[in-house]
Amino acid sequence: QVQLAESGGGLVQAGGSLRLSCLASRRTFSRTAMAWFRQAPGKEREFVASLRWNDGTTYYANSVKGRFTISRDNAKNTVNLQMNSLKPEDTAVYYCAGMLGLGSLLGDSSYEYWGQGTQVTVSS
């Protein structure tokens, strides 16, 4: 099956930036959408951003709107998340997810494939 692998996480001070990347194991991976979710300790998994594959339409959680940007790079077979103006509350494990069927682009239950996650820590 398709494997997803996140990279780019790390430790950054508040106000800084990080760029996460999600690499799919198969270039022929068929998908309807890709997304980023995050999960902080003691919290449920939270939607961050998604991208509808066919037309590139993007969606963002209100908490990251204007600061984060999701994008795709077909040549590299990656989906990226540019995170700017990071805040301590952005601290979480960030997961990449892929959707094959039809479903809500905002719901984690709609996504079939998940990466192992990459830690993002923002210090104040």
Side-chain angles (χ1 to χ4, degrees):
Q1 62 176 357
V2 175
Q3 302 292 323
L4 303 178
E6 304 93 338
S7 62
L11 175 64
V12 65
Q13 291 184 319
S17 298
L18 285 173
R19 186 174 180 85
L20 306 183
S21 182
C22 174
L23 177 65
S25 62
R26 292 187 61 213
R27 295 178 60 85
T28 57
F29 174 37
S30 298
R31 71 208 78 181
T32 58
M34 297 289 292
W36 289 93
F37 292 80
R38 66 188 183 187
Q39 188 167 27
K43 298 274 290 182
E44 66 180 11
R45 187 167 292 179
E46 175 188 31
F47 169 78
V48 176
S50 64
L51 184 153
R52 190 162 62 198
W53 209 252
N54 288 156
D55 61 7
T57 301
T58 58
Y59 304 86
Y60 297 94
N62 289 334
S63 59
V64 306
K65 188 84 171 182
R67 299 188 297 119
F68 292 10
T69 303
I70 187 172
S71 62
R72 63 183 176 187
D73 188 333
N74 290 331
K76 297 179 179 179
N77 200 32
T78 60
V79 175
N80 303 306
L81 184 69
Q82 178 66 46
M83 305 185 295
N84 298 326
S85 301
L86 283 162
K87 305 174 181 179
E89 50 262 46
D90 294 318
T91 296
V93 176
Y94 283 70
Y95 297 91
C96 175
M99 182 192 302
L100 299 181
L102 300 177
S104 171
L105 271 65
L106 313 182
D108 55 359
S109 297
S110 300
Y111 293 84
E112 292 89 356
Y113 294 98
W114 293 83
Q116 291 298 114
T118 185
Q119 177 71 48
V120 171
T121 302
V122 184
S123 62
S124 60

